Amino acid sequence: MGARGRGHGRVIGDMTDRAGTAGRGWRRALVTGGAGFVGSHLCARLLDDGTDVVCLDNLSTGARSNVLELDRRRRFRFVRGDATDEDAVRGLPGSFDLVLHFACPASPADYLRLPLETLDVGSNGTRNALERARRDGARFLLASTSEVYGDPLEHPQTETYWGNVNPVGPRSVYDESKRFGEALVTAHRGVHGTDAAIVRIFNTYGPRMRTGDGRAVPTFIAQALDGTPLTVAGDGSQTRSLCYVDDTVDGVLALAASEETGPMNIGGGDEITMLELAQRVVELTGSRSRIRFVERPVDDPTRRRPDTRLAEQRLGWRPRTGWSEGLERTIGWFAQAVAA
Ligand code: NAD
């Protein structure tokens, strides 16, 4: 089944015109976690597409400043509240035809600091958001993650791979919370017929990431701009496949506009070692920083690369932003944020 309008007048477009893409045609969207890194880009894109947006966020890892600019737009509303609070989600006024459940601490530094909250938002938070979507007859999307594949024994990872996750390791609070969320979405669809889909997002980077969140791109960029050594974990040979945030948003909204249920991988195809990434950041910033090798975190995955053929075939989606372009834009944003 291909991506198509689903009675909401939505049009996918051919994905060559980013301005008029996938979210078009939604009347009113709820974005939980909308003040976070990915969520704030989603809110902005939906507004650009003419959708009214309610952003529900408890600001545990996000920032009000991420969506301050959106306050000026008539169609945007920020609500400070917790997705795990049933009344807060149920009590949001009006009705939605799209619910994007993105609330969840997402960087290792955050979910290790907030382990119980992470499990809670993946379970109770997902249930509340699903219930809200069911009540309103809305399309629902769960932001799941490549972390459901754990330290993968299959490479690249296809959606049919079940993963290699340590259920009691330090990362389990995140991995298992998302795995539970996926099970909940699947059960909700089966029991209630909720129009729900799962997107498995791989590492995404771009403006509005936080420097202190422990993720490689903002960490390296901040260190390079500071002139301090770039801290590469282990020997730096572990790989990630990073996707620029605009491409991730395209993929998420294309899936939302389709009738696909997923799980569907959305992620970058260019696999890069952490050492190469650090070296590129040094080059692009013109920094004099050196590289310092530090201890590797427990259960840090060795290889990560999505197989995105499903998204290509069903949605016509593929990442389009090259490394240099994406990193340059991100570095530009960080340089400005540091200067401000
Ligand atoms: P982020 O931490 O920047 O954003 C998460 C947002 O959720 C924050 O604004 C935070 O305040 C909010 N939040 C957390 N718990 C909440 C709760 N109980 N109620 C209301 N709001 C709450 O992280 P991100 O990188 O933007 O990730 C967003 C989503 O995408 C997450 O669900 C994450 O698991 C998923 N994801 C992200 C990536 C990535 O590379 N960024 C990769 C895979 C999956």
Side-chain angles (χ1 to χ4, degrees), residues 57-202:
D57 202 299
N58 68 359
L59 301 183
S60 58
T61 62
R64 191 69 181 89
S65 57
N66 282 342
V67 288
L68 265 187
E69 238 179 59
L70 305 183
D71 280 344
R72 287 200 292 264
R73 299 170 74 162
R74 190 176 49 82
R75 294 178 181 279
F76 181 73
R77 183 158 163 239
F78 174 80
V79 177
R80 185 164 186 173
D82 205 302
T84 64
D85 176 349
E86 198 177 338
D87 293 336
V89 178
R90 200 179 21 211
L92 290 168
S95 82
F96 300 100
D97 56 358
L98 177 64
V99 175
L100 301 175
H101 183 44
F102 275 65
C104 184
S107 76
D110 288 331
Y111 60 70
L112 295 176
R113 181 173 60 84
L114 300 165
L116 298 177
E117 291 84 349
T118 302
L119 286 160
D120 208 18
V121 75
S123 50
N124 292 318
T126 303
R127 190 200 59 205
N128 293 338
L130 272 166
E131 276 301 322
R132 180 66 203 233
R134 177 170 81 101
R135 196 188 83 185
D136 290 4
R139 171 74 160 160
F140 175 94
L141 217 73
L142 170 69
S144 186
T145 168
S146 55
E147 297 286 335
V148 300
Y149 300 123
D151 193 357
L153 304 176
E154 248 185 40
H155 194 77
Q157 293 81 54
T158 57
E159 289 86 348
T160 50
Y161 177 50
W162 291 354
N164 177 36
V165 172
N166 174 358
V168 292
R171 304 172 79 100
S172 64
V173 294
Y174 185 63
D175 305 356
E176 299 293 10
S177 137
K178 293 291 185 182
R179 288 170 72 96
F180 181 85
E182 290 200 7
L184 201 55
V185 167
T186 309
H188 227 267
R189 195 171 46 236
V191 173
H192 298 299
T194 314
D195 181 10
I198 298 162
V199 56
R200 288 188 183 147
I201 302 171
F202 281 64

Side-chain angles (χ1 to χ4, degrees), residues 299-314:
D299 293 338
D300 186 40
T302 306
R303 300 189 78 183
R304 262 304 156 62
R305 178 154 61 91
D307 182 325
T308 52
R309 279 176 299 177
L310 192 65
E312 269 184 44
Q313 287 160 11
R314 305 284 174 91

